[in-house]
Amino acid sequence: MSSEALLAVEGVSKRFGGLVANQDVTLRLERGEIRGLIGPNGAGKTTLINLISGEESPSAGEVRLEGRSLLGIPPFQRARRGLLRTFQVPRLFGTMTVRENLLLPYLALGGRDRRAGRRRSDELLERSGLARLAEEPARHLSGGQQALLQLVAGFMCDGLRCYLLDEPFAGVNPLIKETMIDLIRDHNRRWSTVFLIVSHEMPVIRELCSRVTVLAAGRVLFEGTMEEVARSREVVDAYLGREWTP
Amino acid sequence: MRRQHLALAVVALAGAAAIPWGMDDYALGVVTIGFYYAVLAASWNLLAGYTGQFSLAQQGFAALGAYATGLSIRDLGVPIWLGILLAAAVSCGMGLALGLLTLRLRAIYLAITTWGFAETVHITLTAGYQVTRGELGLSVPTLLGNLDPLSYYYVFLGLLAVSLAVLYLVCHSRIGQFLRAIRDDELRAASLGIDTTRWKLFVFALSSLLTGLAGACYAHYVAVIGPDMADFSELAKIVVMVVIGGMGTFAGPVLGALLVQLLTSYLGQFGAWDNVLFALVVIVLMRTYREGLVALGRRLWRRLMAWMHPRVEVAARG
Ligand SMILES: Nc1ncnc2c1ncn2[C@@H]1O[C@H](COP(=O)(O)OP(=O)(O)OP(=O)(O)O)[C@@H](O)[C@H]1O
Ligand SMILES: [Mg+2]
């Protein structure tokens, strides 16, 4: 049992009509791991996140969390097992305040003690620099602040085991980006939370992730450390050469 | 905050209980019907305002409740109290069924399907005249065995108070937060662990239950009911009330219902034109001031406070 990865994606495929968005993807994340998921636009990264979080169901293969299959388990139950995600285009509860956006996952995931929830939200508001916006409706935030709030909301969850982040840094200013990186790293150190981070920002991925998986045309093209990825002719040709120099 | 709400509720209830002493029978009747519509408006607001489920079937559930008690009393010989309970159960069950049917439908499709449901109720009540007596109307025994307007005023005031208490508990608990989350972004709500299916069904069931209950009480008040209870114009009235009062606010539907009821009763001489007038008001409000009278009241209140305590305002600005 202990040899089982915390999150295991086993031979997962996803077809949309004739289009193959994911093909035979296998991915195993160990407890405490921060994994990068990179690949060109349309490679199938978001689709893979959707398959893991349950918004889409795979045409073949399966996803397991702590050794238990997630087949047929709806997203809200996956969340209750400690599997959360963010969306590429930030999704928030627009008419609710920033604080309510934080308290909501706390309540939804079984938090009963309102005072404890309040304390945690205070702490996260402080650390994320959103404190002075606490009573603002979320729809009034800037794009970067929304991305930050979306990320931070997941940290309100007590049993967060695995957090899937779909391009969390896109369109985010350097200051907020630093805050996000700190929060992710801190949560990972403290609770051994697994992160799977989709990003085009190689410096950030290099800073955060011990290993990266490269997806291209729906398949896993490569998996290894950032250095190995940079050395791989295949990957550089397929993708990185244009945007990134090691 | 909570204490303020409680104080406000006590004052409102005491006021409403005391008001009839200066009213004639016609006015009593107007406000009694206003209370009836307030229950309908508040129930619809739970669905459309708090949860974002823009259902167009509320009038159908009121009619279901009315006919459920009327028919079970006439054909099964049940006592009135049991008829009313049956009405609540039937409406609740049908609401649940409609909720299930429309679970995966969004916005416009949900609106069309629920409208279709209410129209089906309307047509069935009209066409099934062997059972329902159709347009001739179904006679229903009065609740109190008399027609004393004052008694019915208090019955409907009680019904409204109980309905609002239930809705308040729901909307101001964690459930209320879940409903708002579903309204704002259902996908996000589910991804954070909210069982969106369960809460949407709950809201359909509760809103239909309260509406069916009100419909049943209405039947035992007016004594003769017709299929026009399920007419689309009834829903239009409810929507107008909620929008004018403030959609998604707690007090809005009640204020809107009473105001519209008073206006339509006393400005009746405009005939069909008041509908046009209200439609225009709704269009303007939806485009400009979606939180209706309640938001207006809040704004005025804040102005008043600022005017009375100028220092506080300065401090807040600084
Ligand atoms: N619901 C869908 N129906 C049909 N095709 C889809 C659907 N979702 C994704 N696709 C297609 O699947 C492929 C992979 O899309 P996906 O969004 O997973 O890529 P991505 O790697 O996240 O890209 P990006 O970097 O632009 O976010 C694309 O060709 C896309 O058009
Ligand atoms: Mg994507």
Side-chain angles (χ1 to χ4, degrees), chain A residues 41-42 44-47 88 166-167 198 200:
Chain A
N41 291 114
K45 307 180 294 292
T46 297
T47 302
Q88 188 166 347
D166 197 352
E167 305 209 11
V198 175
H200 291 289

Side-chain angles (χ1 to χ4, degrees), chain B residues 65 69 72-73 79-89 143 212-213 216-217 220:
Chain B
T69 184
S72 60
I73 288 168
I80 291 180
W81 64 267
L82 187 55
I84 293 177
L85 277 189
L86 281 173
L143 186 62
L213 191 63
C217 293
H220 290 297

Side-chain angles (χ1 to χ4, degrees), chain B:
Chain B
M1 202 61 183
R2 294 282 166 95
R3 198 164 293 174
Q4 255 177 34
H5 289 168
L6 189 64
L8 211 62
V10 170
V11 170
L13 197 61
I19 277 174
W21 301 121
M23 275 163 41
D24 58 35
D25 284 0
Y26 178 73
L28 275 178
V30 168
V31 180
T32 302
I33 298 293
F35 289 158
Y36 163 70
Y37 279 114
V39 177
L40 267 49
S43 320
W44 185 71
N45 185 46
L46 176 71
L47 260 176
Y50 276 95
T51 322
Q53 306 299 302
F54 208 83
S55 166
L56 301 181
Q58 220 61 22
Q59 75 284 24
F61 290 111
L64 271 179
Y67 277 88
T69 184
L71 291 175
S72 60
I73 288 168
R74 190 194 68 187
D75 297 341
L76 307 176
V78 302
I80 291 180
W81 64 267
L82 187 55
I84 293 177
L85 277 189
L86 281 173
V90 166
S91 308
C92 180
M94 291 301 267
L96 207 57
L98 186 64
L100 269 172
L101 198 69
T102 55
L103 208 52
R104 301 203 174 279
L105 302 182
R106 251 147 247 259
I108 184 71
Y109 300 102
L110 180 104
I112 292 171
T113 310
T114 48
W115 171 77
F117 170 82
E119 249 343 81
T120 308
V121 171
H122 190 193
I123 293 167
T124 307
L125 292 178
T126 312
Y129 57 85
Q130 288 100 332
V131 178
T132 65
R133 292 179 41 89
E135 306 281 5
L136 290 174
L138 181 69
S139 300
V140 181
T142 55
L143 186 62
L144 308 169
N146 62 34
L147 292 171
D148 171 36
L150 192 60
S151 318
Y152 286 96
Y153 177 93
Y154 285 116
V155 167
F156 278 85
L157 178 60
L159 175 71
L160 176 60
V162 169
S163 306
L164 290 180
V166 171
L167 291 172
Y168 184 89
L169 289 178
V170 168
C171 293
H172 290 80
S173 67
R174 52 215 293 275
I175 300 171
Q177 290 295 95
F178 297 166
L179 303 184
R180 287 176 64 201
I182 291 171
R183 174 191 67 191
D184 278 8
D185 192 330
E186 195 173 334
L187 192 65
R188 168 94 171 145
S191 84
L192 289 176
I194 295 175
D195 188 347
T196 54
T197 301
R198 174 175 158 195
W199 293 119
K200 283 201 293 186
L201 290 180
F202 168 77
V203 159
F204 262 101
L206 178 58
S207 142
S208 315
L209 186 152
L210 293 177
T211 298
L213 191 63
C217 293
Y218 178 81
H220 290 297
Y221 170 53
V222 296
V224 181
I225 53 176
D228 54 350
M229 269 186 92
D231 193 86
F232 190 75
S233 63
E234 285 294 293
L235 179 81
K237 212 166 175 178
I238 296 169
V239 174
V240 165
M241 290 164 169
V242 173
V243 171
I244 287 180
M247 196 154 162
T249 66
F250 189 77
V254 180
L255 295 178
L258 292 174
L259 184 72
V260 170
Q261 181 56 26
L262 286 175
L263 287 179
T264 47
S265 304
Y266 285 100
L267 303 179
Q269 58 265 42
F270 289 112
W273 287 102
D274 55 3
N275 287 333
V276 176
L277 192 69
F278 281 126
L280 287 175
V281 171
V282 165
I283 291 169
V284 171
L285 277 178
M286 284 301 259
R287 288 207 59 98
T288 56
Y289 219 68
R290 295 194 65 158
E291 299 205 301
L293 280 178
V294 166
L296 190 69
R298 278 201 198 115
R299 189 176 286 190
L300 289 178
W301 177 254
R302 248 179 268 133
R303 283 266 170 85
L304 185 70
M305 280 326 214
W307 180 70
M308 281 174 23
H309 308 280
R311 280 231 212 99
V312 179
E313 238 249 314
V314 171
R317 267 195 203 144

